[in-house]
Amino acid sequence: NAGVMQNPRHLVRRRGQEARLRCSPVKGHSHVYWYRQLPEEGLKFMVYLQKENIIDESGMPKERFSAEFPKEGPSILRIQQVVRGDSAAYFCASSPSPSGTYNEQFFGPGTRLTVL
Amino acid sequence: DQQVKQNSPSLSVQEGRISILNCDYTNSMFDYFLWYKKYPAEGPTFLISISSIKDKNEDGRFTVFLNKSAKHLSLHIVPSQPGDSAVYFCASPDSGAGSYQLTFGKGTKLSVIP
């Protein structure tokens, strides 16, 4: 009964490279949320996706960041041309419904991105 | 413009005593609050919640109190155990933007000393 899985757990990139973070939601969950935690900060909402649709990307930087949740396969958060300020922990959460019951978001262990 | 504030970055408590973690919020629209617990190298795990129609919610050793007039809530853990050592986040859904957007505080690191 696997929970939310994220990989890689740790990712090191040099400035200017691309970072791809993957998230497999809890089996049967069709709603995925991405959050970012900068050092010494709380988690901040980035984007909410359903299968093949971006529902709300209001928390995502307008440039270099994109997210998808294809019909098959994991959700991907993609960061192009990474900069040092992108260094953070990126958490994915999933829910079986649009999180109308607030405690239904189950979080993965996160991907720690380090940009050199 | 931090809407959920946890002003104590850390707290140390002796095993068996009470741990009290505090959280303040500024947005009057917030009507539901959650506490998450996070161990190192793991994601946040839901712990307990409270709706604004209540001023207290209890679950075993964990109790959350809500003071709406002061825009303040607190999490009480009694008795504290070493396994409670973790970072605790206070969060609220930004109901104005949809219930899925959780706004988190910066967290308080609790250390329970055996």
Side-chain angles (χ1 to χ4, degrees):
Chain A
N1 202 11
V4 177
M5 301 183 70
Q6 292 187 248
N7 66 83
R9 295 292 305 274
H10 300 274
L11 182 61
V12 179
R13 285 287 178 266
R14 296 191 182 279
R15 280 179 296 168
Q17 292 184 318
E18 178 179 289
R20 278 182 178 246
L21 288 64
R22 287 176 289 277
C23 168
S24 296
V26 173
K27 189 176 180 180
H29 287 191
S30 57
H31 302 264
V32 165
Y33 316 83
W34 285 92
Y35 290 81
R36 177 168 68 174
Q37 185 184 21
L38 294 169
E40 312 300 324
E41 298 287 327
L43 283 74
K44 293 202 188 311
F45 169 83
M46 297 181 74
V47 61
Y48 162 37
L49 309 104
Q50 294 178 23
K51 285 282 188 182
E52 299 184 275
N53 287 303
I54 297 173
I55 307 303
D56 181 354
E57 55 183 350
S58 60
M60 204 150 68
K62 295 286 186 287
E63 297 179 356
R64 302 188 297 108
F65 285 72
S66 62
E68 62 176 13
F69 189 15
K71 187 177 180 182
E72 301 291 338
S75 175
I76 306 286
L77 179 67
R78 182 182 177 204
I79 311 172
Q80 295 178 290
Q81 299 175 322
V82 296
V83 300
R84 289 215 173 105
D86 296 333
S87 295
Y90 291 82
F91 292 95
C92 170
S94 73
S95 69
S97 62
S99 208
T101 301
Y102 301 121
N103 62 344
E104 282 185 344
Q105 289 189 28
F106 298 86
F107 282 83
T111 293
R112 197 161 299 276
L113 172 65
T114 302
V115 179
L116 301 178
Chain B
D1 64 338
Q2 199 180 350
Q3 298 188 77
V4 177
K5 299 178 183 179
Q6 294 177 259
N7 292 320
S8 298
S10 62
L11 175 68
S12 289
V13 172
Q14 288 284 337
E15 181 179 3
R17 306 294 291 267
I18 185 170
S19 295
I20 300 176
L21 296 94
N22 293 304
C23 177
D24 298 292
Y25 61 97
T26 57
N27 191 335
S28 300
M29 296 293 292
F30 287 171
D31 61 1
Y32 195 88
F33 303 89
L34 307 92
W35 284 93
Y36 281 84
K37 177 179 180 179
K38 184 183 179 303
Y39 292 117
E42 294 185 14
T45 303
F46 170 75
L47 187 60
I48 192 169
S49 62
I50 189 165
S51 166
S52 62
I53 63 173
K54 294 185 174 182
D55 54 18
K56 176 183 173 181
N57 188 26
E58 190 172 352
D59 183 1
R61 296 186 297 115
F62 302 90
T63 303
V64 57
F65 296 91
L66 175 62
N67 182 334
K68 290 184 288 294
S69 60
K71 294 193 179 71
H72 176 83
L73 61 155
S74 60
L75 174 68
H76 293 213
I77 306 173
V78 55
S80 301
Q81 299 173 353
D84 296 329
S85 297
V87 177
Y88 290 79
F89 292 98
C90 173
S92 182
D94 184 353
S95 56
S99 62
Y100 48 80
Q101 275 200 32
L102 294 176
T103 297
F104 284 82
K106 292 186 177 183
T108 297
K109 183 177 182 179
L110 174 65
S111 299
V112 179
I113 304 162

